[in-house]
Amino acid sequence: MRKTAWSLFIVAFAFAGCATVAQKPVATESPVPRPQQEKAQEKLLVPQAKRYKLKVAIGRFTNETNYGRSLLNDADLDRIGKQASDMLASRLIQSGQFVVLERPDLNKLKKEQEIIGASNIVGSDTLIIGSVTEFGRSVTGKAGFLSSTKMQTAKAKVDIRLVDAKTGHAYFSAIGAGEASTESGEIAGFGSRADYDATLNDRAIAAAISDVIDRLVSKLSDRKWKTDILDVKGGQVFISGGKHQGLKEGDELTAMVAGETVKSKQTGFNVTLPAKQVATLKIVQLFGETETDEGAVCQVTGGSIPQPVSQKLFVTEAK
Amino acid sequence: MKKILVTLVSLLLLAACSMPNTTVRTTDTRPGIAIDGAPDGAILYVDGQRIGEANKYDGQPNVLLVEPGTHTVVVKGADGAHLFDRKVYVESGLKTIKVH
């Protein structure tokens, strides 16, 4: 009896020293049904306060790591760069927080426009410039009593900066990191096995790009809302922007004339002198369906809009 | 006779074992979020929807499956105070959100 107890104790002690695989996260469905989740997410895209989305274009997004430079490169000697650039573009669109303009395949777009016979390529406010700056793989493991684990890990890091298209001012930067891993383990020859997993590379880059977009979405504050006057007809003022920018019927706005723009000798940047209020407006009707064709009809409630409508006129929220 | 029959059935069974199996399917790549460091009794809200106790989704091992895209994640304490309120973007894989 005593011998059996001792044996059991030794076996238990030996297995306590086993190298074991970490617990895998268990995906749990939300108690909220999926259609309701999707509706709630859509509702979030309509802003509560007035704002307008940044118009962004990817200026350059390349692979600056040594990884993947010798295999199946394209004419630009960059394979991962194009893949990562596509990932970045699709995630920027998916986030719903930006108006994304096509730039990497602009030549294809221009060819198509020649066939259609129409062209209206819109300029961006901000260029996104960046690269995959770190990429690497490692294999680590633990060994225990008659047991071992092996973990393959791919790690990636991406750096991006947002540059004002007019001035060249790089005003925001973000770094995203991601990793993907596969862990396998065996005890006394039994257990799981995993050979080289090539998908980990792409998954790590995808995770790093998602992380950088998360930083943009959470840290980049929306710009102060302002818009332009499209036309003035018979006491009605037509302005750009509608429900996608948080405008509602009955909202009160002010029409302003921008001050002179002077080049600062100190910074070299253009500085616009304070604007002057010329009229107060009230939104009576919204029109348009999408964020690119929407507008609002306003009536003048005080002051007057100087005619003809000058480039210096703009509309902002009433203080 | 019986022996032949048994052998035949065994061979048939073995033949079934060697058949190649090809499966093509679409996969669910919805991302998961885990809330790390929420105090006891804290409640998790995603896009204004009450999900439940935040500690239930701490990644040990449970994580909450969400739709890809931008979400507003709010964690409120048991007394209703806002402990965490942020827009997050998730696409696939797991995102761990640190509350403290």
Side-chain angles (χ1 to χ4, degrees):
Chain A
M1 180 65 195
R2 205 172 158 195
K3 203 174 165 189
T4 319
W6 264 110
S7 310
L8 275 172
F9 180 72
I10 289 167
V11 168
F13 188 76
F15 277 91
C18 276
T20 51
V21 175
Q23 196 177 20
K24 197 182 163 192
V26 177
T28 317
E29 287 287 350
S30 166
V32 180
R34 272 186 89 176
Q36 206 175 318
Q37 284 182 52
E38 283 164 9
K39 248 185 207 168
Q41 194 184 5
E42 256 176 53
K43 222 172 139 190
L44 178 86
L45 291 177
V46 179
Q48 300 303 306
K50 289 178 190 58
R51 62 126 203 220
Y52 70 115
K53 293 179 185 175
L54 211 55
K55 282 187 290 178
V56 297
I58 299 172
R60 172 180 67 83
F61 198 74
T62 47
N63 168 32
E64 298 304 330
T65 68
N66 290 325
Y67 170 76
R69 294 214 149 218
S70 56
L71 298 163
L72 302 168
N73 285 331
D74 64 2
D76 301 331
L77 299 172
D78 190 4
R79 188 176 62 88
I80 294 180
K82 278 204 169 54
Q83 172 207 29
S85 171
D86 287 345
M87 281 184 188
L88 181 66
S90 67
R91 281 161 176 76
L92 279 169
I93 299 165
Q94 194 182 45
S95 75
Q97 309 295 306
F98 307 95
V99 173
V100 184
L101 303 166
E102 179 63 34
R103 287 294 178 272
D105 287 313
L106 196 59
N107 288 336
K108 290 184 179 69
L109 193 65
K110 280 183 178 163
K111 270 185 194 163
E112 194 60 31
Q113 287 182 340
E114 276 171 26
I115 299 167
I116 304 165
S119 163
N120 182 24
I121 293 176
V122 176
S124 68
D125 308 317
T126 294
L127 270 186
I128 296 180
I129 293 172
S131 59
V132 180
T133 48
E134 267 184 49
F135 186 84
R137 285 187 68 115
S138 64
V139 178
T140 53
K142 285 184 281 187
F145 178 72
L146 289 177
S147 63
S148 65
T149 64
K150 186 177 104 174
M151 190 188 240
Q152 302 176 52
T153 310
K155 286 186 182 176
K157 211 175 231 187
V158 296
D159 285 47
I160 60 164
R161 60 184 181 275
L162 269 59
V163 182
D164 188 307
K166 274 186 194 159
T167 62
H169 177 209
Y171 64 93
F172 188 87
S173 71
I175 297 170
E179 67 171 62
S181 59
T182 299
E183 193 176 15
S184 54
E186 56 178 48
I187 297 173
F190 298 96
S192 56
R193 298 240 162 87
D195 284 334
Y196 183 85
D197 186 352
T199 63
L200 291 181
N201 304 349
D202 303 328
R203 287 184 192 180
I205 294 170
I209 292 171
S210 293
D211 191 42
V212 90
I213 302 274
D214 177 48
R215 271 159 223 261
L216 287 188
V217 166
S218 61
K219 297 272 166 62
L220 198 63
S221 54
D222 292 327
R223 292 177 302 175
K224 189 174 183 299
W225 184 83
K226 74 173 196 180
T227 190
D228 61 330
I229 293 177
L230 297 168
D231 202 358
V232 181
K233 264 184 191 158
Q236 285 187 318
V237 181
F238 299 89
I239 62 166
S240 301
K243 63 177 178 188
H244 288 93
Q245 296 184 13
L247 299 189
K248 292 186 285 292
E249 284 172 14
D251 279 356
E252 292 190 347
L253 309 169
T254 38
M256 316 276 280
V257 176
E260 292 294 318
T261 302
V262 189
K263 190 173 178 177
S264 161
K265 286 189 190 110
Q266 184 208 31
T267 62
F269 286 101
N270 285 339
V271 177
T272 306
L273 299 179
K276 204 176 94 184
Q277 183 177 324
V278 288
T280 52
L281 308 169
K282 190 176 179 183
I283 298 175
V284 288
Q285 198 190 336
L286 300 173
F287 63 89
E289 293 296 318
T290 64
E291 58 190 352
T292 55
D293 73 352
E294 64 183 11
V297 185
C298 305
Q299 67 180 39
V300 181
T301 53
S304 64
I305 305 285
Q307 297 277 357
V309 177
S310 95
Q311 292 286 315
K312 284 192 169 183
L313 262 178
F314 69 92
V315 174
T316 186
E317 281 184 271
K319 278 176 190 165
Chain B
M1 183 63 193
K2 202 178 166 187
K3 269 187 183 173
I4 296 169
L5 208 69
V6 169
T7 317
L8 201 69
V9 169
S10 309
L11 277 172
L12 262 173
L13 282 170
L14 283 173
C17 293
S18 62
M19 288 294 281
N21 189 4
T22 307
T23 311
V24 181
R25 61 173 167 230
T26 58
T27 50
D28 184 2
T29 56
R30 276 183 295 160
I33 54 170
I35 308 294
D36 184 23
D40 287 338
I43 306 292
L44 170 67
Y45 294 81
V46 175
D47 301 333
Q49 308 282 313
R50 191 184 198 274
I51 303 297
E53 233 182 274
N55 277 339
K56 231 176 99 181
Y57 305 100
D58 60 357
Q60 308 291 338
N62 290 338
V63 298
L64 176 71
L65 275 180
V66 292
E67 296 296 319
T70 307
H71 298 277
T72 306
V73 175
V74 175
V75 178
K76 285 185 188 173
D79 57 350
H82 276 239
L83 302 174
F84 184 88
D85 188 342
R86 216 190 84 177
K87 265 198 256 182
V88 292
Y89 171 80
V90 280
E91 189 273 326
S92 60
L94 169 66
K95 172 143 195 95
T96 304
I97 297 165
K98 289 196 190 300
V99 173
H100 279 295

